[in-house]
Amino acid sequence: MGAVRLYTESDLDAGLTVSLSAGQAHYLGNVMRMKEGDPVVLFNGRDGEWRAAIAGLRKKEGTAVAGERLRPQDSVPDLWLLFAPVKRARIDFIAEKATELGVSAIGAVFTEHTAVSRVNEDRLRANAIEAAEQCGRLSVPEIQPPSTLAQRLADWPDGRRIMLCDETGGGKSVQEALSGGSAATGPWAILCGPEGGFSSMELDLLAENSIVTRVSLGPRILRADTAVLAALACWQSMVGDWSASAARTV
């Protein structure tokens, strides 16, 4: 079993004492049965990964002292995931798997056919943190505030392209959409719709925007959470940090 990894917002450097939250102290002391002096691994998304030792565990807090740096800070592709909210357990799944698959930001987008009316941002972030701790990642995706699709497009940043996953099958193949040198540079967002698909008005709105590339995820209709995983895996293998070009730079 590997060392317990914990995310912290504190700065990390040799000799620094880091505060542990009540939840982290409970997990270490009551779930993992760890004690003072036992090793843990800490990361914060800025300073890399550090070996540390538990300095104290109490009911509502704890501390650890950082020792040596194990890995320098790395980076993930500048890839956003925008998804139409689904039922809570499947939102948890999307946040977990998107983190494992290396996205830099996760945002919920309400569409005309979205059945869920609220998204718990704190829960999304908690799932992303837990996934980052477990998968060895050195950062946690940004959780962006939920918004309507129209709002997101109105405030869209210059230069970020959108890969629109369209279940009607009217788009390009992912391979065709991401082929060519220009596709490998610059920031991207993957947009996945609700279980009922995007409305015709939403598709028309997206089609008007030159930064949108409409893609098909194959001949079968996928569940919303399956579509997210498929799209992320395709993007990573073509132009992300799974690609041959990324492997050559390691």
Side-chain angles (χ1 to χ4, degrees):
M1 179 179 172
V4 173
R5 299 181 77 245
L6 296 175
Y7 173 76
T8 178
E9 295 186 355
S10 300
D11 292 336
L12 291 171
D13 203 351
L16 288 182
T17 298
V18 176
S19 297
L20 304 176
S21 68
Q24 290 172 330
H26 170 78
Y27 175 72
L28 293 175
N30 298 323
V31 178
M32 300 303 295
R33 302 295 182 185
M34 298 177 74
K35 58 186 183 302
E36 291 183 15
D38 284 347
V40 293
V41 172
L42 303 175
F43 67 101
N44 62 6
R46 304 183 303 276
D47 301 317
E49 182 178 71
W50 291 77
R51 179 179 287 118
I54 298 172
L57 287 177
R58 292 173 289 280
K59 186 174 182 180
K60 293 187 177 180
E61 61 182 358
T63 55
V65 177
E68 64 174 319
R69 189 166 73 167
L70 301 175
R71 289 190 285 165
Q73 187 63 39
D74 62 6
S75 61
V76 294
D78 190 358
L79 175 64
W80 293 0
L81 170 66
L82 304 180
F83 70 97
V86 288
K87 293 179 181 178
R88 189 174 73 174
R90 290 166 64 192
I91 289 182
D92 293 349
F93 178 83
I94 287 172
E96 175 185 298
K97 299 310 174 187
T99 301
E100 293 177 12
L101 289 167
V103 303
S104 59
I106 301 172
V109 175
F110 295 102
T111 68
E112 287 190 38
H113 295 161
T114 301
V116 175
S117 59
R118 294 181 60 190
V119 171
N120 186 330
E121 293 178 68
D122 290 339
R123 186 180 178 94
L124 267 180
R125 179 167 172 77
N127 277 288
I129 289 173
E130 183 176 352
E133 291 172 341
Q134 293 178 355
C135 75
R137 172 173 177 160
L138 296 182
S139 60
V140 174
E142 173 194 357
I143 303 301
Q144 299 176 340
S147 65
T148 66
L149 178 60
Q151 288 170 335
R152 289 308 301 260
L153 293 177
D155 298 332
W156 197 254
D158 293 338
R160 183 174 297 276
R161 286 169 287 181
I162 298 175
M163 189 173 90
L164 168 64
C165 302
D166 178 18
E167 67 177 10
T168 65
K172 302 176 180 178
S173 70
V174 176
Q175 183 176 14
E176 181 184 4
L178 297 179
S179 294
S182 62
T185 60
W188 276 88
I190 290 175
L191 174 60
C192 293
E195 293 171 323
F198 293 102
S199 70
S200 57
M201 184 177 71
E202 289 167 338
L203 289 173
D204 289 343
L205 177 65
L206 288 160
E208 293 171 359
N209 201 319
S210 62
I211 63 170
V212 175
T213 300
R214 191 168 168 177
V215 302
S216 169
L217 295 178
R220 291 166 291 279
I221 295 176
L222 305 179
R223 277 179 29 154
D225 47 347
T226 307
V228 166
L229 266 64
L232 289 175
C234 288
W235 190 94
Q236 283 283 36
S237 65
M238 288 290 297
V239 296
D241 55 16
W242 295 4
S243 65
S245 59
R248 287 194 296 268
T249 64
V250 173

